[in-house]
Amino acid sequence: MARISLFRLSAVALLLLSAYCWADNEVEAEDDSEELSVSELLERANSNLIRSKDDPILTEGDIAIDSGAEKNADPCTSQGCKWGKWSDGKVYIPYYITNHFSSREKAIITRGLESFSSFSCIRFRPTQSNDRDWLSIESQNGCYSYVGRRGGKQVVSLARSGCLYHGTVQHELLHALGFNHEQTRSDRDNYIKVLLQNVQSGMEHNFRKIATLNQGIPYDYNSVMQYHKYAFSKNNQPTMLPIPDPNVSFGNAKEMSRNDIARLNKLYGCCECPH
């Protein structure tokens, strides 16, 4: 009897030790991810994905488009893409978080949504039955979003494996609000030199400039929309270098920068002055 009790105690102790080691490894893995920039997290999450015929076409790694013709277009300059402002000066954007996510994962998404209210007039709110346009936040194939308001149900994909970080949530929401990547800005060549010889074959289109609205805000190496210097590299060599000083650090953002916030407020006419 004593032997059986001792065996049971040993088994319980072993299980507890295994659970502790598993939890410790999970923390280490999470800590490793926290060291990466938003750009690196997105590239890691979206690399080697097998796209199905039902998935949208992706350009620049995480921008969803309906056809190849949209690769060089900016819907915000060609047709307008802003979400409407209400009489109280706020921009209310309905959203729905699908049941793919755990309560912890939903909390990460909600924190990203709510962060916009602390520095802009953007207010994400749960969708209601009479909403015609809304964001459907889902765990689909990778991290991606369309650029700007599309009309009707608009999917923002935040895959449970790799996309659920504060900065990546902000990044995809900025796409949905109408923003492109920093390195595709119309004035990009004044600040970034693209080294196409180091870019993976078939990925060159990710570095094409588009006619963007820059809101009079200077180019921002620290933007959460700026990709890192090795993005889409085929040989571990840089695909982008800052000019005139190639040693300037860039693409390391883990959340929205001051210029990201300023550009957002300018596009949506958020008043930053006290009344």
Side-chain angles (χ1 to χ4, degrees):
M1 192 71 174
R3 288 181 179 179
I4 294 174
S5 298
L6 182 61
F7 174 77
R8 285 177 177 171
L9 284 171
S10 299
V12 170
L14 184 61
L15 285 171
L16 288 172
L17 181 61
S18 299
Y20 174 81
C21 293
W22 177 85
D24 193 48
N25 288 336
E26 284 292 300
V27 170
E28 287 183 8
E30 190 169 305
D31 288 344
D32 173 65
S33 298
E34 294 294 343
E35 292 301 314
L36 300 178
S37 69
V38 169
S39 172
E40 291 168 320
L41 287 170
L42 289 170
E43 186 168 15
R44 186 171 74 172
N46 284 356
S47 63
N48 302 318
L49 291 177
I50 299 174
R51 311 295 297 172
S52 73
K53 64 178 181 179
D54 296 323
D55 290 328
I57 301 168
L58 295 186
T59 186
E60 299 178 41
D62 71 325
I63 293 179
I65 55 177
D66 289 328
S67 68
E70 294 182 24
K71 284 183 178 179
N72 296 325
D74 178 8
C76 289
T77 56
S78 61
Q79 63 190 34
C81 70
K82 292 195 298 184
W83 296 78
K85 182 182 285 189
W86 287 61
S87 57
D88 63 357
K90 303 293 192 299
V91 179
Y92 295 97
I93 302 175
Y95 72 87
Y96 175 73
I97 301 176
T98 63
N99 292 325
H100 299 149
F101 304 100
S102 68
S103 57
R104 176 182 174 276
E105 291 164 343
K106 285 183 178 180
I108 295 171
I109 297 169
T110 301
R111 177 175 172 247
L113 291 162
E114 292 178 348
S115 68
F116 284 79
S117 64
S118 66
F119 48 65
S120 75
C121 58
I122 304 299
R123 299 290 185 271
F124 291 98
R125 64 158 177 81
T127 188
Q128 300 169 358
S129 58
N130 59 343
D131 288 324
R132 292 183 299 176
D133 305 333
W134 75 97
L135 299 179
S136 181
I137 301 174
E138 307 176 5
S139 177
Q140 295 294 341
N141 199 5
C143 324
Y144 64 79
S145 173
Y146 292 90
V147 173
R149 183 179 187 172
R150 307 280 290 191
K153 174 185 174 182
Q154 180 173 327
V155 173
V156 174
S157 176
L158 295 170
R160 298 181 66 193
S161 55
C163 303
L164 293 176
Y165 300 93
H166 184 65
T168 53
V169 173
Q170 286 187 332
H171 182 104
E172 299 306 337
L173 292 174
L174 279 174
H175 282 319
L177 285 164
F179 292 94
N180 291 276
H181 293 133
E182 197 75 356
Q183 71 272 2
T184 60
R185 275 176 58 140
S186 55
D187 61 351
R188 182 270 313 281
D189 290 340
N190 296 326
Y191 305 95
I192 289 283
K193 180 180 181 180
V194 177
L195 306 174
L196 288 176
Q197 67 270 24
N198 296 329
V199 176
Q200 297 168 23
S201 178
M203 295 294 179
E204 296 86 356
H205 64 86
N206 294 321
F207 296 91
R208 293 173 185 166
K209 290 186 298 182
I210 56 179
T212 53
L213 289 172
N214 301 322
Q215 306 299 316
I217 306 297
Y219 194 96
D220 185 9
Y221 294 122
N222 298 313
S223 170
V224 77
M225 308 306 280
Q226 170 70 55
Y227 271 28
H228 65 98
K229 69 188 296 184
Y230 298 100
F232 303 104
S233 178
K234 66 181 178 182
N235 53 13
N236 294 320
Q237 296 298 310
T239 55
M240 292 177 283
L241 287 175
I243 51 178
D245 182 359
N247 296 314
V248 170
S249 177
F250 73 101
N252 301 316
K254 295 181 180 178
E255 61 182 349
M256 289 172 64
S257 70
R258 295 179 70 176
N259 279 335
D260 288 329
I261 293 169
R263 190 178 297 126
L264 173 66
N265 283 326
K266 194 158 186 181
L267 178 64
Y268 279 93
C270 299
C271 182
E272 300 176 26
C273 312
H275 289 287

